[in-house]
Amino acid sequence: MAAAETDATAARAVEIFVALLASRGADPYELYAQLHELGDAATIEPGVVLAFSHAAVSEVLRDPAYRVADAARLDEIWPQWREHPSIFTPSILTSNSPEHERTRGLISGTFTPRRVAQLQPAVEQIADRLAAAMAEHGADGAPVDFMAEFAYQLPVTVICELLGVPEQDRAEFRPKARDLAGGIDFAEDPTVIAAADAAAVWLHEYFGMLIARRRADPRGDLISALVQATGPDGSLTEAELLANVTVLLFAGFETTTHLLGKGLHIILTRPEVEASLRAGTLPVHAFVAEVLRYDPPVHAGTDRWRPEAGELCGAAVPAGAQVIALLGAANRDPRKFAEPDRFNPARADGGSMVSFGAGPHYCLGAALARMEAAVAFPLLLERFPSLAIGGEPVRRGGVALRGLDRLPITVT
Ligand code: HEM
């Protein structure tokens, strides 16, 4: 590629990226389509590369030459990180090999497919309770907000169940977990960041207390299993336990919330999808997989950096460069997915979507999130034969995490 073309590509990528940052709450897919016209990746400022094709995003997430920013890296580029417990905790999400392999091995040894399967009856019960409350609130035909009454409730309650947070403590979790999530999404507002930091401190104190309790008196929950987990290189330290328990809450909450919100919105705005789900001709797992590809909850925030200079799909990546991987763009890459903008649960190529990431940091909770959605949608359709949109949905104003803040529905 000639130098002039490269400059033009970089300039165009910068324009699109600026529009993307400004697009908080708006649909980003037109901008992603414009990025795909530019190729795989582009430099948007010296030392910052934007990866948007499926090939480039997959390479960044899978190739060990790219690393997540860990505490040592942050000490170099942003020493103030220690003042913001919400923005960074040294957990599996933010550690690299070999440390990452050790902690991830210990955690995934406890958070097993069997544990997820055993959780299903509890997920069904929680979903049923939430649906019953919606039925009551909407019995007069008035709209109820699906996000507040169901989508924001189910995942956080399920994580509490998984971790072993006692029922009487759970009501306090949702606002704290939401405040915490608010801090990471390209937040600039100091009050949002302060609320996120306060929530992180609260959650660390709470989990510190619960970990101590489970250490003294283990139960069948995940915190007890994590406390007891040992491997060839020892156990999780107190700091690792605390950070990773908080990450499980944080990573599994609003992500799953938006899968539920987006999924129900698709069901209620596409009569053919609703009809085939109701008739059983569209398997719920295929539907959930296509919701994840078509409109994923996590669009960005999975940045990496590259200590050594290299190349990404032909674009130069200088030593020390930051690489922003756009997951939502990769899922709509026309070079990977046939008719990428068409919602098609029967597609054969959906398995390569990157909504749960890829490579060593691939989502630990993917099976749990899929199970929650696969329980929720059939349950809602069965319980509410005339479910409908009851007002204008309101989008969440994020860039990295995209979804709905309000989804009014009528249930009678
Ligand atoms: C639809 C729901 C979900 C989505 C879209 C999602 C998405 C992701 C993505 C994209 C990553 C990769 C991050 C990276 O590469 O930097 C990730 C990692 C992770 N997720 Fe999820 N997630 C979901 C649900 C959950 C749930 C329910 C849990 C647990 C209760 C969970 C726990 C984690 C953990 C612990 C990691 C870090 C893994 C590591 O760094 O080794 N996630 N998730």
Side-chain angles (χ1 to χ4, degrees):
M1 191 184 275
E5 282 169 336
T6 307
D7 289 348
T9 299
R12 184 72 193 111
V14 171
E15 269 174 33
I16 300 170
F17 187 65
V18 169
L20 206 53
L21 289 181
S23 75
R24 283 177 185 275
D27 197 335
Y29 295 109
E30 177 49 39
L31 294 169
Y32 293 159
Q34 292 171 21
L35 283 174
H36 289 311
E37 286 169 16
L38 303 179
D40 294 286
T43 301
I44 51 167
E45 61 180 80
V48 183
V49 174
L50 190 63
F52 37 82
S53 75
H54 186 275
V57 167
S58 305
E59 189 176 329
V60 169
L61 297 178
R62 288 175 197 276
D63 184 344
Y66 297 91
R67 297 170 72 76
V68 296
D70 53 19
R73 163 80 170 162
L74 282 199
D75 279 339
E76 279 169 32
I77 58 169
W78 189 51
Q80 306 89 304
W81 70 268
R82 287 172 207 277
E83 293 158 28
H84 296 289
S86 67
I87 298 176
F88 185 88
T89 22
S91 69
I92 47 169
L93 254 179
T94 52
S95 63
N96 292 294
S97 178
E99 198 188 328
H100 177 256
E101 279 147 30
R102 182 182 65 82
T103 48
R104 180 161 170 133
L106 287 165
I107 296 167
S108 56
T110 62
F111 191 13
T112 55
R114 189 153 158 261
R115 187 178 289 275
V116 173
Q118 281 170 345
L119 211 56
Q120 182 157 338
V123 174
E124 286 165 356
Q125 256 178 32
I126 299 162
D128 198 54
R129 252 195 337 254
L130 296 172
M134 278 201 305
E136 204 183 312
H137 298 157
D140 58 356
V144 292
D145 178 11
F146 176 71
M147 299 311 293
E149 299 229 1
F150 195 98
Y152 271 110
Q153 304 282 348
L154 181 70
V156 71
T157 314
V158 170
I159 295 167
C160 287
E161 186 72 32
L162 172 77
L163 293 174
V165 173
E167 288 237 29
Q168 69 271 18
D169 297 350
R170 294 182 186 178
E172 278 186 274
F173 269 77
R174 194 194 133 191
K176 302 291 181 208
R178 259 202 106 173
D179 282 354
L180 183 63
I184 50 124
D185 201 343
F186 292 84
E188 282 160 7
D189 182 343
T191 51
V192 172
I193 296 175
D197 286 337
V201 170
W202 187 91
L203 286 164
H204 285 169
E205 273 170 19
Y206 180 82
F207 282 133
M209 178 275 296
L210 196 57
I211 288 166
R213 252 203 251 163
R214 292 297 184 265
R215 199 184 281 290
D217 179 18
R219 308 272 169 91
D221 55 48
L222 188 67
I223 291 193
S224 302
L226 287 169
V227 163
Q228 293 170 314
T230 51
D233 302 313
S235 319
L236 294 167
T237 65
E238 208 59 31
E240 285 167 349
L241 274 169
L242 203 53
N244 286 301
V245 166
T246 312
V247 158
L248 284 169
L249 168 70
F250 165 76
F253 170 37
E254 244 193 282
T255 48
T256 314
T257 293
H258 295 305
L259 169 60
L260 297 172
K262 284 161 187 245
L264 190 68
H265 188 252
I266 287 174
I267 291 173
L268 298 183
T269 50
R270 292 171 190 257
E272 73 290 357
V273 172
E274 180 174 354
S276 40
L277 277 172
R278 284 192 186 279
T281 50
L282 166 53
V284 68
H285 286 285
F287 167 73
V288 170
E290 180 64 347
V291 174
L292 283 161
R293 181 203 68 87
Y294 181 78
D295 198 7
V298 180
H299 281 237
T302 57
D303 294 11
R304 301 289 190 265
W305 73 288
R306 187 170 174 129
E308 313 279 336
E311 264 200 1
L312 177 61
C313 298
V317 182
Q322 177 194 359
V323 185
I324 301 171
L326 293 182
L327 307 183
N331 280 358
R332 296 283 191 113
D333 184 346
R335 285 181 290 168
K336 188 69 187 178
F337 301 98
E339 296 185 272
D341 298 326
R342 190 169 145 234
F343 183 82
N344 175 15
R347 65 172 59 247
D349 53 15
S352 38
M353 56 93 174
V354 290
S355 311
F356 289 117
H361 292 273
Y362 181 80
C363 178
L364 261 184
L368 175 59
R370 287 183 199 269
M371 184 263 273
E372 288 183 53
V375 165
F377 296 128
L379 184 142
L380 291 164
L381 289 171
E382 198 185 316
R383 177 149 205 150
F384 304 117
S386 49
L387 204 57
I389 295 275
E392 201 50 46
V394 177
R395 287 173 189 241
R396 181 185 187 282
V399 174
L401 194 63
R402 291 184 183 258
L404 297 174
D405 244 349
R406 277 174 49 77
L407 176 56
I409 55 169
T410 52
V411 294
T412 54

